[in-house]
């Protein structure tokens, strides 16, 4: 009996792909399904509804006729680009972000470096102390700082009597102080977590070469936490354009904060008229602007890292 002779595949012939069977398909679907359902119901559906609402206009039969919504195309978006108050509020929060975001991230980086330094004692206490303000809700923090800023209520009357922190010129930066106080600890925690992931061997090699703590922080730690800084920068840009709770609360303390002080306040005021379609158009434009700014910042940051 002769053994079968194996024949070689002809040249150029492709080997047939063997499709691997995915095990536990049912379990995978069961684990993913809750997220997909919630994502569709509470994210995609509201976005689609807002886009659809922004394409509608209200018509009436006569002056006092019954109102009805009809398809109006881009009519609401034309009103958005003609609305001076909305674009003034966008410019205001952009100015807010240009100043507040670098200051906040700089403090967060400084605190994270201090916590990671072997020279600091009582790290648990300082880590908790830096993070505790983030546990305070934004509205409560705004009320607390509003009382501190008010000349008649502040425990520091010598300061508030001479410097009106709630005036039209300073109220934006008073709000910036509240936002910085609340979110420095949150961003610090992200940066500090990245510092903890750096291998200790890198630090040991630097010390052998004679580098001190300041040199290690500048030449090793800061470059290695740049991805965390980019992440916190993107989150801060998104949060800046969505600013609402703090300025809305400050309306009780300062007449300089109007109903159109920020883009989200403009949207809220417009929907309360009510003009839901125009408010939806405002929301869509603001979301697109947030996406463009965040994506641009991310691309520029990646180019900086690669260079």
């Amino acid at each position: 009996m002769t053994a079968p002779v194996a024949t070689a595949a002809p040249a150029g012939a492709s080997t047939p792909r063997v499709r691997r069977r995915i095990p536990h398909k049912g379990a995978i679907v069961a684990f993913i399904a809750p997220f997909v359902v919630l994502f569709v119901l509470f994210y995609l559906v509201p976005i689609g509804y807002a886009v659809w609402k922004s394409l509608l206009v209200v018509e009436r039969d006569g002056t006092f006729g019954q109102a009805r919504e009809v398809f109006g195309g881009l009519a609401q978006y034309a009103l958005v680009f003609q609305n001076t108050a909305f674009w003034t509020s966008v410019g205001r929060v952009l100015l807010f972000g240009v100043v507040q975001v670098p200051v906040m991230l700089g403090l967060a980086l400084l605190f994270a470096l201090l916590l990671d330094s072997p020279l600091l004692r009582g790290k648990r206490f300082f880590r908790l102390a830096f993070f505790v303000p983030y546990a305070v809700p934004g509205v409560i923090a705004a009320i607390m700082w509003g009382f501190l800023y008010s000349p008649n209520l502040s425990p520091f009357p010598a300061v508030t009597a001479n410097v009106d922190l709630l005036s039209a010129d300073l109220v934006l930066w008073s709000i910036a102080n509240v936002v910085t106080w609340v979110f420095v600890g949150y961003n610090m925690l992200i940066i500090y977590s990245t510092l903890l992931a750096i291998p200790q061997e890198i630090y040991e090699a630097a010390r052998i070469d004679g580098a001190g703590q300041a040199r290690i922080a500048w030449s090793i730690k800061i470059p290695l936490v740049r991805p965390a800084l980019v992440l916190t920068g993107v989150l801060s840009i998104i949060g800046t354009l969505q600013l609402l709770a703090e300025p809305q609360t400050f309306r009780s303390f300062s007449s300089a904060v109007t109903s159109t002080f920020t883009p989200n306040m403009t949207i809220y005021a417009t929907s309360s008229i009510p003009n839901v379609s125009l408010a939806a158009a405002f929301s869509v434009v603001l979301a697109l602007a947030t996406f463009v700014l965040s994506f641009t910042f991310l691309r520029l940051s990646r180019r900086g890292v690669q260079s």
Side-chain angles (χ1 to χ4, degrees):
M1 182 176 180
T2 59
V5 179
T7 58
S14 59
T15 305
R17 291 186 177 182
V18 179
R19 298 185 62 180
R20 298 182 61 182
R21 182 176 176 273
I22 301 176
H24 310 297
K25 287 184 179 180
I28 294 174
V29 172
F31 280 112
I32 295 178
F35 166 77
V36 174
V37 171
L38 293 175
F39 181 77
V40 171
L41 289 179
F42 296 100
Y43 192 80
L44 295 183
V45 171
I47 290 176
Y49 180 74
V51 173
W52 168 247
K53 268 291 187 180
S54 68
L55 300 176
L56 303 178
V57 295
V58 177
E59 288 187 352
R60 296 178 183 271
D61 294 329
T63 306
F64 302 102
Q66 184 178 4
R68 65 179 185 277
E69 290 183 330
V70 297
F71 182 77
L74 301 178
Q76 299 291 1
Y77 291 96
L79 295 177
V80 169
F81 288 99
Q82 296 171 9
N83 193 293
T84 305
F86 175 74
W87 293 108
T88 301
S89 67
V90 171
R92 185 178 292 114
V93 295
L94 289 178
L95 175 62
F96 175 96
V98 167
V99 177
Q100 186 268 338
V101 171
V103 171
M104 177 178 62
L105 296 185
L107 290 174
L109 176 61
L110 177 62
F111 293 160
L113 291 173
L114 288 174
L115 290 177
D116 194 58
S117 173
L119 304 177
L120 182 68
R121 304 300 178 186
K123 292 185 179 181
R124 292 184 178 180
F125 168 77
F126 285 107
R127 183 168 61 241
L128 180 63
F130 292 153
F131 185 72
V132 158
Y134 180 68
V136 179
V139 174
I140 303 301
I143 293 174
M144 180 184 69
W145 281 97
F147 281 116
L148 292 176
Y149 292 149
S150 299
N152 299 327
L153 302 173
S154 176
F156 310 103
V159 177
T160 55
N162 297 314
V163 181
D164 188 0
L165 297 172
L166 298 175
S167 64
D169 295 329
L170 295 178
V171 69
L172 180 65
W173 310 117
S174 298
I175 296 172
N177 177 64
V178 178
V179 175
T180 302
W181 182 79
V182 171
F183 286 98
V184 160
Y186 170 78
N187 293 297
M188 176 214 68
L189 198 62
I190 296 176
I191 300 171
Y192 181 59
S193 300
T194 306
L195 286 171
L196 294 178
I198 299 176
Q200 294 297 317
E201 292 80 3
I202 299 178
Y203 301 148
E204 294 175 2
R207 294 190 193 99
I208 293 174
D209 290 339
Q213 291 300 322
R215 183 65 175 176
I216 290 174
W218 181 259
S219 300
I220 297 177
K221 293 183 178 181
I222 292 179
L224 291 179
V225 299
R226 287 189 67 175
L229 290 174
V230 172
L231 172 63
T232 53
V234 171
L235 296 177
S236 299
I237 291 173
I238 296 173
T240 297
L241 290 171
Q242 293 180 346
L243 193 63
L244 176 63
E246 292 81 6
Q248 185 73 22
T249 305
F250 264 67
R251 291 193 68 192
S252 304
F253 298 96
S254 174
S255 59
V257 181
T258 64
S259 61
T260 59
F261 194 75
T262 67
N264 267 347
M265 292 178 68
T266 305
I267 294 170
Y268 179 77
T270 304
S271 64
S272 302
I273 292 176
N275 192 344
V276 179
S277 296
L278 182 58
F282 280 137
S283 301
V284 173
V285 172
L286 181 61
L288 292 176
T290 304
F291 170 78
V292 170
L293 286 175
S294 304
F295 183 76
T296 302
F297 174 80
L298 188 61
R299 290 295 299 270
L300 293 176
S301 302
R302 285 184 177 179
R303 287 183 182 179
V305 172
Q306 293 174 356
S307 61

